[in-house]
Amino acid sequence: PDFPPAQSPDSLRAPTNVAPVGSVASAPQRFAKPKRLKAHTVTSKSHSIPTVPRDKTGRPILPLNVGIMTVLSLGQVCLREHFHTERYIFPVGYEVTRRYLSAKDPNQEVTYHCTILDGGDAPKFQIIATDQPDKPIVAGTATGAWSVVVRAANHLRNRQHSNSVSGPDFFGLGQNTIKHLIQELPGADRLRDYVWQTFVEGGDGRPLGGRHAAVAPALPD
C-alpha cells in the first residue's frame, strides 16, 4: 500500500479533555497517580570516532557518508524548549538520506530523504521516499514518522515483523559522528537539558561499525 495521507500537526497532538461550556472544572480526581519525576538516564562519556574530512576552515565537508546515512545538511540549533532532549539535538534544517525498503514496490529498496522542520513550538520530522515524492510523511517525533514507513513496508510484504523503530537512529541522530558534528554547531553548548558528550576523532584502533560507522565524503551520483 502507498503511504496514508500525511497527518496535520494538529492531528498529531494528544487529545485534551475539555469541560463542557458552562460547567465548573472539577478538582483533580483522587485516584489519579502523581507523575513520576523522570530520572536522568544519560551520562556524559568520551567516545572515539573516525576522523571527519574537513575543509581549510575546519568545517566538515558535506555531503558526508556516515555508515548508511548521507548527511546533506547539519541545520541550525534552535534554543527553544522542545528542540532537544537529554540525548538528542534536533537542528532545524538537518537533512540526511538513507536506504530502506520501499512501501510501494515489494521488490525494491529506495532512498528516503529525512528533514527536521521548524514546527513552531516543537520540531516536525519529515520523510519523503524517492518513489512517492508527492506523499511526504510528517510527524511530531522521528519515531512517529519512521513508524509509518516501517508499518507500510512490512504490510506490503505480509511480514509479521515488529513495527517498532527508533526514529532518532533512523534519522541518524544516534550516530556518534553525527552527534559530534551537531554538537559543534553554534548554540549547542547553550542547550539546557542536553547532556554533553566528548568525541575524540581518529579512533583508537577498534574496528569501525554500529555507532562508530565508517565516514567518507559522499561521491556525486
Side-chain angles (χ1 to χ4, degrees):
D2 293 352
F3 292 134
Q7 293 176 287
S8 68
D10 288 339
S11 67
L12 296 166
R13 295 192 177 98
T16 303
N17 293 326
V18 179
V21 175
S23 67
V24 178
S26 60
Q29 294 183 9
R30 289 179 300 171
F31 307 107
K33 293 182 178 179
K35 289 185 178 179
R36 287 186 179 179
L37 293 177
K38 185 178 179 181
H40 291 266
T41 57
V42 182
T43 57
S44 183
K45 297 179 180 179
S46 178
H47 309 270
S48 179
I49 61 172
T51 300
V52 175
R54 299 177 184 270
D55 62 20
K56 293 180 180 178
T57 67
R59 292 184 176 182
I61 298 173
L62 302 181
L64 181 69
N65 287 332
V66 182
I68 63 172
M69 314 297 301
T70 300
V71 181
L72 305 179
S73 172
L74 292 167
Q76 295 180 326
V77 169
C78 178
L79 299 179
R80 277 170 272 156
E81 180 181 6
H82 299 295
F83 286 80
H84 70 280
T85 65
E86 289 183 342
R87 193 178 299 273
Y88 303 112
I89 300 172
F90 307 124
V92 173
Y94 171 86
E95 292 183 57
V96 295
T97 60
R98 60 159 292 160
R99 303 277 295 177
Y100 190 70
L101 299 173
S102 169
K104 186 176 183 180
D105 184 341
N107 300 311
Q108 293 293 325
E109 275 193 0
V110 297
T111 298
Y112 287 85
H113 191 135
C114 308
T115 309
I116 299 179
L117 307 172
D118 188 343
D121 58 351
K124 295 298 180 189
F125 297 83
Q126 176 181 273
I127 303 173
I128 299 178
T130 51
D131 62 346
Q132 299 192 65
D134 57 335
K135 295 184 178 180
I137 298 165
V138 181
T141 66
T143 298
W146 265 107
S147 292
V148 175
V149 178
V150 173
R151 191 180 304 113
N154 284 340
H155 180 74
L156 180 66
R157 293 164 178 78
N158 295 315
R159 299 168 74 187
Q160 302 303 314
H161 292 224
S162 168
N163 293 320
S164 63
V165 59
S166 168
D169 281 350
F170 271 57
F171 260 75
L173 299 169
Q175 284 279 8
N176 280 338
T177 298
I178 295 177
K179 290 172 79 80
H180 171 51
L181 297 178
I182 290 175
Q183 277 192 180
E184 290 184 337
L185 293 173
D189 57 347
R190 297 168 58 193
L191 298 174
R192 185 187 65 186
D193 297 325
Y194 179 74
V195 178
W196 199 261
Q197 303 295 315
T198 299
F199 297 99
V200 180
E201 288 190 35
D204 59 0
R206 288 183 297 177
L208 299 177
R211 293 179 190 273
H212 298 273
V215 174
L219 298 176
D221 293 332

